[in-house]
Amino acid sequence: MTTGPGRWLPGMCALAMAGTVAFAAPASAQTGSGFYLSQEVGLNLAPDVELLGNSNDRASRCDEFINPRFAEVPGCTDPNRGSGAGWRTAFDRAAGVLAGFAAGYRFGGRLRVEAEWFHRESGYDQTAPVTSATGDTLGKLGGEIQRADNRLGSISSHNVFANVYVDFPSRSRLTPYVGFGGGVGLTELDYGDLWARNPDPSAIGTAAGLPNEAEIRQNLAATTSSKQGELHDRRTAYQVLGGVDYAVSDAVSLGVKVRWVRFGRFLAEGIEWERLRSHPSQLRLDGSEPVTFRIRTAGALSFVGVSLAMRYAF
């Protein structure tokens, strides 16, 4: 009978070869063709946002609720009225959650394509002072107007993308990849604003020189304009992706995915104030001149996301 190291050497070599085959199998399976499903969850970081506002409102002296004698004021009955002065508000960057699902097909080798849905929400939760369209302090702020604030609660979006990936298979279980995609984002801003006038009628300068100045001062003092709600827009977008997958088995892989997504500029129009100078969002008692405003972003929206992903191949 043979004893000693020579007895075990053939068996150990066989086990080593079997282990090598078992270790490499998941990596080779990841390069095969076929359908797969994936899901992910992670975090996103969104940059600073600047909101620009503009309305078709007129001077308060042209508001029939405030000035019953508005028709005597030059320009107040002009049907070709221009837009009111614009405003802007800046908000710092924010972070939030990211989650999504995808269905794809690998063609074999390095190329795969997929259809993807994901949701992101960036929680700004900030209130900031309104400035003029040029970025200066509002002229009436601190006098006739005591407060002028905008609030940005969050920016969220439901996104549908078509993506193309290139994988870089290796002899290990790790598979790095890069990708590019295009799609549409249904974007929502949790928005609010508040404009409050001085409760002291003597601080109201809008009515200066008008025959019913005292009446206008009294009607305008302590009034507020406000809006709180969700603003919606649909924007086209593109994204750049990258990451690395680890083959847990022939069918399952886990990985880390990084993405940078860029949308077009957000724009919401035709928004009515809930209260305009403490009355409905209109200038005339009969509702013949509704007042609306629009909100847009100064630049394109974007975010960076990092997530943990799991993929199952059929």
Side-chain angles (χ1 to χ4, degrees), residues 51-57 82-89 130-139 150 195 273 293-296:
L51 298 183
L52 307 179
N54 190 269
S55 79
N56 64 350
D57 194 14
S83 297
W87 65 90
R88 65 174 60 208
T89 317
V130 174
T131 66
S132 69
T134 59
D136 301 319
T137 301
L138 295 176
N150 273 185
W195 307 69
W273 271 286
F293 68 97
R294 69 174 186 170
I295 292 293
R296 60 188 176 91

Side-chain angles (χ1 to χ4, degrees), residues 222-305:
T223 59
T224 59
S225 300
S226 63
K227 171 67 179 180
Q228 178 65 52
E230 309 296 338
L231 308 183
H232 302 271
D233 191 20
R234 182 176 59 199
R235 297 282 92 185
T236 57
Y238 64 89
Q239 63 177 344
V240 179
L241 308 106
V244 60
D245 286 335
Y246 176 82
V248 178
S249 68
D250 289 351
V252 179
S253 65
L254 299 176
V256 177
K257 178 188 290 186
V258 179
R259 72 175 79 218
W260 175 74
V261 189
R262 180 181 175 89
F263 302 85
R265 295 185 180 185
F266 180 92
L267 174 62
E269 299 183 286
I271 310 162
E272 292 188 352
W273 271 286
E274 295 167 346
R275 295 175 296 176
L276 175 64
R277 294 182 283 272
S278 296
H279 62 69
S281 192
Q282 59 196 46
L283 292 175
R284 304 292 170 251
L285 295 176
D286 62 5
S288 59
E289 292 191 41
V291 175
T292 62
F293 68 97
R294 69 174 186 170
I295 292 293
R296 60 188 176 91
T297 56
L301 294 176
S302 65
F303 72 88
V304 174

Side-chain angles (χ1 to χ4, degrees), residues 11 15 18 20-21 36 56 69 95 108 123 154 174 178 187 201-202 204 229 255 259-260 276 291 297 302 307:
L15 288 173
T20 301
V21 172
Y36 66 84
N56 64 350
R69 299 171 60 178
S154 64
L174 298 176
V178 295
T187 307
S202 65
I204 306 299
R259 72 175 79 218
W260 175 74
L276 175 64
V291 175
T297 56
S302 65
S307 57

Side-chain angles (χ1 to χ4, degrees), residues 58-61 137-148 195-198 203-207 220 277:
R58 301 203 198 192
S60 302
R61 61 176 60 195
T137 301
L138 295 176
K140 296 181 181 180
L141 192 60
E144 179 172 327
I145 298 178
Q146 285 195 319
R147 180 177 179 182
W195 307 69
R197 276 187 161 80
N198 199 312
I204 306 299
T206 297
L220 195 54
R277 294 182 283 272

